[in-house]
Amino acid sequence: MNKVHITNYNIYHTRIRKPVSFAILSDIHFSYAVKDKKLNMIINVLNKIKPNYILIAGDIIDSLNMIDDSKEEKRLISFIEKLTRISRVIGVLGNHDLYRKNIKIQTNEYLTKLKNIKSVTNFVVLSNNSYDDEYVHINGMSFDYNYYHGDEKLSKEKLHDNLKTLYKDVKKEKINILLTHSPNNLYD
């Protein structure tokens, strides 16, 4: 889809007097099908609203195959660098970030494959860890391939265990955000 949907919410925190803004992107599915026109449209919208933080809630890429192609990897790095010139970018992994086409058993190669991308200044990929600064505490919850395509009971247990762990890490003096791609079974 070549549209950017914008919804504004005002959230107040008693201990933070300065307005803090977030832009949340999800399911970019960077691939040959995602043309520079679409990526530039995203950059232009974000440049207009100038958020303090850009959050990417998974599926940055369509499959690991995309960053095997060095030309496409450079195009992705260029897009992320443009985002980081606007503000801090914090992302988590989605199911497509863990996927490799035409392979029966997918593996979690993403963090390794992303070594060049992760080196971009002002870009953080959270994988069951957190990001902190003066205003925010962001817990990034990522799962492996089996969470999305494995045993549903184990997926529920894994989600609930992660949530219990992350809840202990809440910082009441900051804005707290749980960033995850697909919280399957969240309400079970």
Side-chain angles (χ1 to χ4, degrees):
M1 184 181 333
N2 285 326
K3 293 183 179 181
V4 175
H5 176 78
I6 299 174
T7 304
N8 292 307
Y9 298 97
N10 293 317
I11 302 169
Y12 301 94
H13 192 290
T14 56
R15 296 186 179 152
I16 299 176
R17 304 284 180 223
K18 171 190 173 198
V20 179
S21 61
F22 301 88
I24 303 173
L25 304 174
S26 183
D27 297 276
I28 297 167
H29 288 274
F30 181 89
S31 66
Y32 298 113
V34 176
K35 304 297 181 200
D36 288 339
K37 181 179 177 181
K38 181 178 182 178
L39 300 175
N40 289 330
M41 179 184 59
I42 294 168
I43 296 297
N44 291 336
V45 168
L46 292 170
N47 265 321
K48 286 178 187 166
I49 61 176
K50 299 264 188 241
N52 297 102
Y53 303 89
I54 297 171
L55 307 178
I56 303 177
D59 284 358
I60 298 168
I61 59 175
D62 193 53
S63 77
L64 284 165
N65 302 70
M66 285 310 305
I67 55 178
D68 288 339
D69 179 334
S70 63
K71 183 178 175 187
E72 288 303 297
E73 182 185 42
K74 287 176 186 167
R75 194 167 71 96
L76 177 60
I77 290 171
S78 173
F79 172 66
I80 291 172
E81 286 173 338
K82 288 175 186 173
L83 290 176
T84 63
R85 287 185 207 119
I86 299 167
S87 68
R88 161 90 52 200
V89 179
I90 302 163
V92 293
L93 306 176
N95 57 311
H96 279 257
D97 299 316
L98 309 171
Y99 172 76
R100 182 173 285 290
K101 289 181 180 177
N102 302 321
I103 293 180
K104 245 183 185 172
I105 299 171
Q106 283 73 13
T107 58
N108 188 355
E109 300 173 51
Y110 188 75
L111 292 172
T112 305
K113 289 290 296 178
L114 261 185
K115 66 178 186 274
N116 294 332
I117 299 165
K118 286 187 346 181
S119 67
V120 173
T121 303
N122 222 18
F123 178 59
V124 177
V125 176
L126 299 176
S127 185
N128 300 317
N129 55 346
S130 61
Y131 167 82
D132 273 289
D133 69 19
E134 176 180 7
Y135 302 106
V136 300
H137 175 77
I138 300 172
N139 278 310
M141 190 163 50
S142 295
F143 297 99
D144 62 19
Y145 182 85
N146 292 321
Y147 171 80
Y148 296 103
H149 303 283
D151 182 295
E152 187 175 334
K153 184 177 185 273
L154 290 175
S155 294
K156 285 180 187 179
E157 290 171 6
K158 190 174 224 176
L159 173 71
H160 293 159
D161 288 346
N162 280 2
L163 286 172
K164 286 176 194 172
T165 301
L166 295 173
Y167 183 74
K168 294 174 187 172
D169 197 30
V170 168
K171 311 278 192 239
K172 292 182 180 175
E173 69 281 2
K174 297 181 180 190
I175 297 168
N176 285 270
I177 294 175
L178 172 61
L179 187 60
T180 190
H181 175 64
S182 178
N184 298 339
N185 310 309
L186 185 61
Y187 299 108
D188 292 343

